[in-house]
Amino acid sequence: MRDRPQSDTRERIITAADRLFREIGYQKTTVADIARTLGMSPANVYRFFSSKKAINEAVTARCTAEIRMRLEAVAASGRPAAERMRALLLTAHQSVLELGVTDAKMQEMIAVAMAESWGVIRAHIEEVDAIITRVLRDGVASGEFVPSDPEVTGPCIRAAMMRFCHPGLLTQCHDIPRPTVEQQADFILSALGHHARS
């Protein structure tokens, strides 16, 4: 029970930091700002996080975990693999959009995370690959997809969706009308052999 208040305080700090990073930007937010929002001293914040970078890592880890939770729910839904794969790709795109990654301040936070805390981002990518690969294996086993090496094809599918799931590319490609995310998902399913079999 002694650990619960500490865990709650950590979560409060992460929540406050997330809000400030979105409102005023990562660079402009100080640990003192986060502490003031919570009615505590900066020294108390440093009891839970060694630096602002560590706080940003925790915020990023929470955001990416929310995305994976949604993807896991789709992957485990029990529908045919092709339906799950399509829903997985569309959900990945929608989840990133709902995080507000096209907002300049949110992009700043993610850019810092990618530059300074690549481990958090890399772990997220590896877990997303694992989710995609699991559905891919199901589709190959059921005959919905043509046989392939899932350890290669899974990451290729994720890479093919990069334009719709990478924060920077989402913004840069915002005014490029095609392909739509639905068209890209259908293209990937076709490449997996789904349309050829249906």
Side-chain angles (χ1 to χ4, degrees):
M1 292 295 291
R2 184 181 300 173
D3 290 340
R4 182 63 186 269
Q6 290 193 353
S7 175
D8 289 347
T9 302
R10 278 183 60 86
E11 287 304 310
R12 287 177 58 223
I13 293 169
I14 294 168
T15 299
D18 188 359
R19 183 168 58 80
L20 288 172
F21 292 166
R22 292 171 188 267
E23 288 177 0
I24 64 176
Y26 175 79
Q27 299 296 350
K28 291 183 179 178
T29 300
T30 65
V31 172
D33 293 329
I34 297 167
R36 188 165 42 253
T37 298
L38 295 169
M40 63 175 66
S41 68
N44 198 35
V45 173
Y46 283 120
R47 284 181 54 222
F48 296 91
F49 295 96
S50 60
S51 62
K52 192 171 85 165
K53 174 187 171 185
I55 297 172
N56 192 33
E57 286 179 353
V59 171
T60 303
R62 178 197 275 183
C63 291
T64 53
E66 288 172 8
I67 293 173
R68 292 194 306 276
M69 193 180 308
R70 292 180 67 173
L71 298 182
E72 287 283 6
V74 172
S77 66
R79 292 182 287 170
E83 289 183 23
R84 282 184 285 148
M85 184 64 79
R86 190 174 196 277
L88 203 60
L89 303 179
L90 299 182
T91 300
H93 171 66
Q94 189 60 37
S95 298
V96 173
L97 283 181
E98 288 174 8
L99 276 177
V101 297
T102 54
D103 177 78
K105 293 184 177 66
M106 187 66 173
Q107 285 222 359
E108 177 190 14
M109 186 195 86
I110 294 168
V112 170
M114 293 181 77
E116 298 181 359
S117 307
W118 178 243
V120 174
I121 303 296
R122 181 168 184 164
H124 170 66
I125 291 170
E126 289 173 353
E127 291 191 47
V128 169
D129 283 352
I131 296 168
I132 293 171
T133 300
R134 193 162 68 245
V135 175
L136 176 64
R137 281 199 180 96
D138 291 346
V140 170
S142 67
E144 294 173 69
F145 303 145
V146 295
S148 65
D149 181 349
E151 298 304 322
V152 173
T153 306
C156 285
I157 293 169
R158 184 252 311 151
M161 287 296 293
M162 197 72 71
R163 174 249 191 272
F164 299 98
C165 298
H166 186 287
L169 291 176
L170 266 172
T171 302
Q172 291 171 17
C173 300
H174 178 71
D175 294 327
I176 300 175
R178 291 191 179 186
T180 65
V181 65
E182 292 84 4
Q183 289 168 336
Q184 186 73 5
D186 289 340
F187 173 80
I188 290 169
L189 287 173
S190 179
L192 294 174
H194 176 64
H195 290 311
R197 290 179 172 274
S198 58

